[in-house]
């Protein structure tokens, strides 16, 4: 049985009513097949969740098809009103969402309200943006009025990751529903509880049955059924590059559905000798420390000019330790250091560290497990391991950073771009001409100047180059990927 909290805990009332069923057609549906969720702080069982299979995916698609005509014909204001109300209800449920994220993914409850407010604000942003969705007109052909219409695909699918479940939920649900689509969404099997909690709010927010279904389950079962479904016309996926490749193959082999992908990263952060060293060290440390390094756009590769390397490394490692802070149960209000999401992720990160050691690379900070219970890892830094090393080239998704030194601007740019990833890059310098050269030269979908991730404004496109993905999220660009363009030619 899942571990329960003592009655005097502020989270006790939530521990007795965790929603674990599939949500289809505004109704919760239990399945015989279940999978467990463990608390990564304590390694204790948190819940047993219904596994959605092919039948549940078919039922959700049936409901979405039925709901689509009326939903897409609603005014943009009416659709936006549902999104705005859902955002309000999420903020009202902040304590319950914080509890669920702590016991499933290990997010620190004391910090989590900010993430809920962020997700709610994104839904509200897209609620307002819905009224701006329109096409173009042209009188350039004699005797003709030509125009384009932006129209929703119909039934769409979304597969979201475990590292930021509520944020990813808003990133997919907001633009998809604002554009008039209906949506079948699969949360990660590692962290489905917050999405299922939000499912309880969907009818209260005014969404008609079938507009949004939420199906927990494993990628090989639920995700594959969604990606290969012949009546889903567009799919959005966020996750690893390896899984993104599989998703795209399934989509191509079925009905060649349109796919957008937000994938992995190995983001470089370049610090020049003229930069504000203290500010650069703190920003770079906060980027990799956030969510215990489990962020696709974390600054996991730092390049610092050799003339300031010693001072920077000292400031950076101190800032990294400070940012991670105190280890403890994610529900403890004093805890700031989150665990890795589960045993598999913990073992994967430790595997990278141990593999580096076998190659003669010893971290200059950290590199060990913290405690004997829970999946906690020390903030870890390797110095100059070599461009070809695994620790420098592969996405680790943990509190592990590599600091490399460089001499010249040309060397820094070449090494920063020497990767198959291209999600986020950043540069710290006070040289405006250098800023312009690097803004153009860095091979990444996002470039931070004297800032780094998680800086990502809603009204600017979010996405990557190369194997970091296809398409863009945030901003009006995201609505492009949830609508199709129709050209209409009218003879006058």
């Amino acid at each position: 049985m899942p571990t329960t909290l003592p009655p005097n805990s502020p989270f006790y009332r939530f521990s007795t009513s965790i929603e674990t069923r599939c949500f289809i057609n505004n109704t919760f549906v239990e399945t015989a097949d279940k999978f467990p969720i463990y608390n990564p702080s304590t390694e204790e069982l948190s819940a047993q969740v219904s596994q959605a299979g092919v039948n549940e995916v078919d039922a959700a698609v049936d409901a979405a098809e039925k709901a689509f005509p009326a939903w897409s014909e609603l005014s943009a204001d009416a659709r936006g009103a549902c999104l705005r109300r859902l955002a309000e209800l999420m903020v009202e449920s902040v304590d319950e969402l914080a509890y669920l994220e702590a016991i499933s993914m290990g997010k620190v409850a004391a910090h989590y309200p900010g993430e809920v407010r962020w997700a709610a604000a994104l839904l509200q942003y897209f609620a307002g943006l819905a009224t701006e969705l329109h096409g173009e007109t042209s009188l350039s052909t004699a005797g003709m009025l030509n125009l384009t219409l932006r129209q929703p695909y119909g039934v769409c699918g979304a597969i979201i990751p475990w590292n930021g479940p509520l944020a990813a939920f808003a990133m997919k649900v907001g633009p998809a529903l604002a554009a008039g689509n209906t949506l079948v969404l699969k949360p990660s099997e590692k962290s489905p509880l917050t999405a299922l909690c939000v499912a309880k709010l969907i009818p209260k927010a005014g969404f008609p049955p079938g507009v949004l279904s939420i199906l927990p389950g494993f990628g090989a079962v639920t995700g594959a059924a969604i990606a290969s479904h012949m009546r889903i016309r567009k799919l959005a996926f966020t996750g690893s590059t390896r899984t993104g490749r599989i998703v795209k193959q399934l989509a191509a082999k079925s009905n060649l559905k349109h796919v957008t992908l937000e994938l992995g990263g190995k983001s470089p952060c370049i610090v020049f000798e003229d930069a504000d060293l203290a500010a650069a060290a703190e920003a770079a440390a906060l980027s990799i420390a956030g969510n215990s390094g489990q962020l696709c756009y974390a600054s996991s590769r730092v390049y610092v000019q050799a003339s300031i390397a010693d001072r920077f490394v000292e400031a950076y490692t101190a800032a990294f330790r400070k940012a991670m802070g105190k280890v403890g149960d994610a529900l403890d209000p004093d805890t700031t250091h989150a665990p890795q999401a589960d045993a598999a992720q913990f073992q994967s990160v430790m595997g990278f560290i141990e593999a580096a050691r076998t190659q003669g690379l010893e971290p200059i900070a950290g590199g060990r497990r913290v405690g004997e219970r829970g999946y906690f890892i020390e903030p870890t830094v390797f110095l100059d391991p070599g461009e070809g090393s695994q620790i420098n080239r592969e996405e680790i998704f943990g509190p592990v950073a590599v600091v490399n030194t460089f001499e010249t601007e040309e060397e820094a740019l070449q090494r920063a771009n020497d990767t198959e990833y291209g999600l986020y890059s950043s540069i710290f310098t006070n040289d405006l001409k250098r800023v312009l050269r690097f803004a153009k030269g860095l091979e990444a979908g996002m470039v931070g100047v004297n800032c780094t991730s998680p800086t990502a404004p809603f009204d600017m496109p979010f996405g990557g180059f190369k194997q970091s993905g296809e398409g863009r999220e945030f901003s009006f660009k995201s609505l492009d990927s949830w609508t199709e363009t129709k050209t209409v030619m009218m003879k006058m």
Side-chain angles (χ1 to χ4, degrees), residues 40-394:
S41 294
T42 65
E43 304 182 38
E44 297 172 336
L45 181 68
S46 294
Q48 293 278 1
V49 180
S50 288
Q51 162 77 47
V54 172
N55 291 340
E56 287 72 34
V57 173
D58 285 340
V61 171
D62 289 343
E65 283 187 329
K66 186 176 179 180
F68 173 70
W71 177 251
S72 61
E73 288 299 320
L74 280 178
S75 69
D77 277 337
R79 293 195 300 271
C82 293
L83 289 169
R84 281 190 288 271
R85 181 57 181 150
L86 182 60
E88 293 169 356
L89 292 168
M90 284 165 49
V91 172
E92 292 173 10
S93 304
V94 63
D95 289 340
E96 183 174 9
L97 293 167
Y99 167 71
L100 295 172
E101 209 74 281
I103 66 167
S104 60
M105 200 273 174
K107 283 187 179 287
V108 175
H111 292 173
Y112 194 63
E115 191 164 331
V116 177
R117 289 190 291 269
W118 184 95
L122 186 58
L123 288 180
Q124 291 170 333
Y125 170 79
F126 281 114
L129 205 60
T131 58
E132 300 301 314
L133 186 59
H134 50 72
E136 300 172 333
T137 60
S138 171
L139 292 170
S140 61
T141 301
M144 302 286 292
L145 168 61
N146 301 323
L147 53 90
T148 62
L149 305 177
R150 300 292 304 185
Q151 294 182 288
Y153 281 91
V155 180
C156 297
I159 300 173
I160 63 175
W162 50 264
N163 61 319
L166 201 62
F169 176 94
M171 290 170 75
K172 301 294 188 288
V173 169
L177 300 192
N181 299 288
T182 52
L183 187 66
V184 178
L185 181 141
K186 187 194 94 67
S188 170
E189 67 278 5
K190 295 186 180 186
S191 55
L193 299 183
T194 43
L196 294 174
C197 178
V198 172
K200 296 186 293 185
L201 310 176
I202 289 170
K204 296 178 183 179
F207 289 98
V211 170
L212 177 57
S213 293
I214 298 175
L215 304 180
F218 283 82
V221 180
T222 317
I226 292 172
S228 60
H229 204 286
M230 293 297 294
R231 289 181 288 145
I232 291 177
R233 295 298 172 185
K234 184 265 192 300
L235 176 65
F237 170 82
T238 297
S240 71
T241 300
R242 178 184 61 81
T243 305
R245 188 174 287 110
I246 296 171
V247 166
K248 193 168 183 178
Q249 289 171 345
L250 291 171
K253 289 178 181 178
S254 52
N255 59 349
L256 206 63
K257 59 177 64 64
H258 182 71
V259 179
T260 51
L261 303 169
E262 199 271 284
L263 306 176
K266 190 71 174 177
S267 299
C269 174
I270 307 164
V271 182
F272 282 91
E273 60 187 0
D274 68 330
D276 182 330
L277 188 148
E282 182 177 14
L286 288 171
S287 177
I288 189 65
N291 209 26
S292 288
Q294 297 168 136
L295 292 169
C296 56
Y297 57 180
S299 294
S300 53
R301 284 189 299 148
V302 179
Y303 291 90
V304 58
Q305 200 152 23
S307 57
I308 59 167
D310 290 345
R311 287 186 294 134
F312 176 85
V313 168
E314 181 179 0
Y316 175 73
T317 53
F320 195 177
R321 292 190 189 98
K322 181 180 178 181
M324 294 292 286
K326 182 180 180 294
V327 169
D329 191 316
L331 293 173
D332 186 331
D334 294 328
T335 295
T336 56
H337 181 150
Q340 306 314 122
D342 64 2
Q345 187 60 25
F346 171 82
Q347 291 161 4
S348 173
V349 176
M350 291 303 299
F352 276 104
I353 295 171
E354 293 308 316
R357 283 189 167 116
T358 63
Q359 298 163 12
L361 302 173
E362 188 65 30
I364 61 170
R368 295 176 296 273
R369 179 177 188 164
V370 181
E372 298 181 355
R373 187 179 75 156
Y375 305 122
F376 299 94
I377 298 174
E378 292 179 326
T380 301
V381 179
F382 286 85
L383 180 62
D384 279 327
E387 284 297 308
S389 64
Q390 181 190 45
I391 205 85
N392 192 65
R393 300 197 69 81
E394 295 190 23

Side-chain angles (χ1 to χ4, degrees), residues 367-421:
R368 295 176 296 273
R369 179 177 188 164
V370 181
E372 298 181 355
R373 187 179 75 156
Y375 305 122
F376 299 94
I377 298 174
E378 292 179 326
T380 301
V381 179
F382 286 85
L383 180 62
D384 279 327
E387 284 297 308
S389 64
Q390 181 190 45
I391 205 85
N392 192 65
R393 300 197 69 81
E394 295 190 23
E395 185 177 37
I396 299 170
F397 230 59
V400 181
V402 172
V403 176
N404 301 284
T405 56
F406 70 89
E407 295 288 348
T408 67
E409 180 178 310
E410 294 75 17
E411 178 192 359
L413 182 62
Q414 186 276 323
R415 292 170 68 184
N417 288 337
D418 185 18
T419 174
E420 278 300 306
Y421 295 110

